[in-house]
Amino acid sequence: MSKQKIIMAALVAIGAFTAASGQNITTAQSNQTPTRATQNAVSSTDRQFVTQAARGGMAEVQLGQLASQRALKNEVKQFGQGMVQDHTQANNELKELAAQKSITLPKSIGRENRKVKANLSKLSGATFDQAYMNQMVKDHVKTVSLFQREADQGQDQDLKAWANKTLPTLEEHLQHARALTAQSTRSAK
């Protein structure tokens, strides 16, 4: 075989390997899987959203578990259980999206959330209820803003759609947290 034929065969083999390595593979779930370049092309802003959403979601689950154990009022315990349920579901959805986009999720809730958890862990009863619900209002104001910004300005269409889908539940959490906080304030007077 001549040198030219060997080079030509190598180039054809490289082209075939590149095509078979996932560049244009279709799946049963969707008609086309984005190329690896597209998956890795998630903007830094969208990646930051994913990181913040993941940390916040994990924190809500952990704080909800804490509320289930430490809260005095049944309504606060139930709110905490709802946080565990809803945020676990959202966290699982985000894990799937992140895997599709080749985004590595954080393993921990982050320094600020750890501080909040440590402070709440020292409380119990009515004091815990008030501090937890105040934190839930604060957290959900921030989270609703984060998700609204992603839904409005995100560049990745899948992340935008997920943020938009999740937003009504987060807004409901915020309204419920505000109502429980107002109720607690009224009963304390």
Side-chain angles (χ1 to χ4, degrees):
M1 213 185 239
S2 74
K3 232 182 199 180
Q4 191 175 13
K5 286 182 180 179
I6 292 173
I7 292 172
M8 186 59 80
L11 289 174
V12 168
I14 290 170
F17 176 77
T18 302
S21 68
Q23 299 277 330
N24 292 314
I25 296 173
T26 59
T27 64
Q29 281 184 322
S30 63
N31 291 336
Q32 283 190 324
T33 300
T35 64
R36 288 188 180 124
T38 302
Q39 289 175 341
N40 291 330
V42 175
S43 74
S44 62
T45 305
D46 286 338
R47 285 178 183 275
Q48 186 177 12
F49 163 74
V50 170
T51 297
Q52 291 174 329
R55 280 197 173 121
M58 288 186 296
E60 294 304 333
V61 169
Q62 290 181 24
L63 296 178
Q65 291 167 338
L66 198 58
S68 296
Q69 299 163 1
R70 294 190 169 267
L72 177 65
K73 292 185 179 175
N74 202 30
E75 297 89 358
V76 176
K77 285 183 184 214
Q78 289 174 351
F79 182 87
Q81 291 165 353
M83 293 300 98
V84 171
Q85 181 179 358
D86 292 348
H87 285 279
T88 296
Q89 179 181 340
N91 292 349
N92 289 337
E93 292 169 1
L94 183 58
K95 281 179 193 173
E96 287 181 31
L97 265 176
Q100 291 170 12
K101 307 285 177 189
S102 300
I103 299 172
T104 303
L105 292 177
K107 302 282 186 219
S108 77
I109 62 176
R111 187 170 42 106
E112 288 300 313
N113 290 323
R114 281 194 305 268
K115 276 193 222 176
V116 168
K117 184 179 177 187
N119 289 337
L120 286 173
S121 294
K122 297 172 188 171
L123 306 175
S124 62
T127 307
F128 174 88
D129 290 1
Q130 185 175 0
Y132 173 71
M133 292 315 305
N134 286 338
Q135 188 64 45
M136 288 300 95
V137 170
K138 180 180 172 186
D139 286 353
H140 281 85
V141 165
K142 190 166 70 174
T143 302
V144 165
S145 175
L146 174 71
F147 275 69
Q148 187 66 61
R149 189 170 47 252
E150 181 66 20
D152 293 342
Q153 301 170 10
Q155 294 174 5
D156 184 276
Q157 293 305 310
D158 295 329
L159 292 173
K160 280 180 73 154
W162 180 74
N164 202 36
K165 178 189 125 192
T166 308
L167 199 51
T169 302
L170 296 171
E171 291 170 330
E172 185 180 302
H173 292 170
L174 176 57
Q175 289 175 342
H176 192 187
R178 283 181 170 154
L180 286 174
T181 301
Q183 180 184 18
S184 177
T185 303
R186 281 193 304 270
S187 65
K189 289 182 180 181

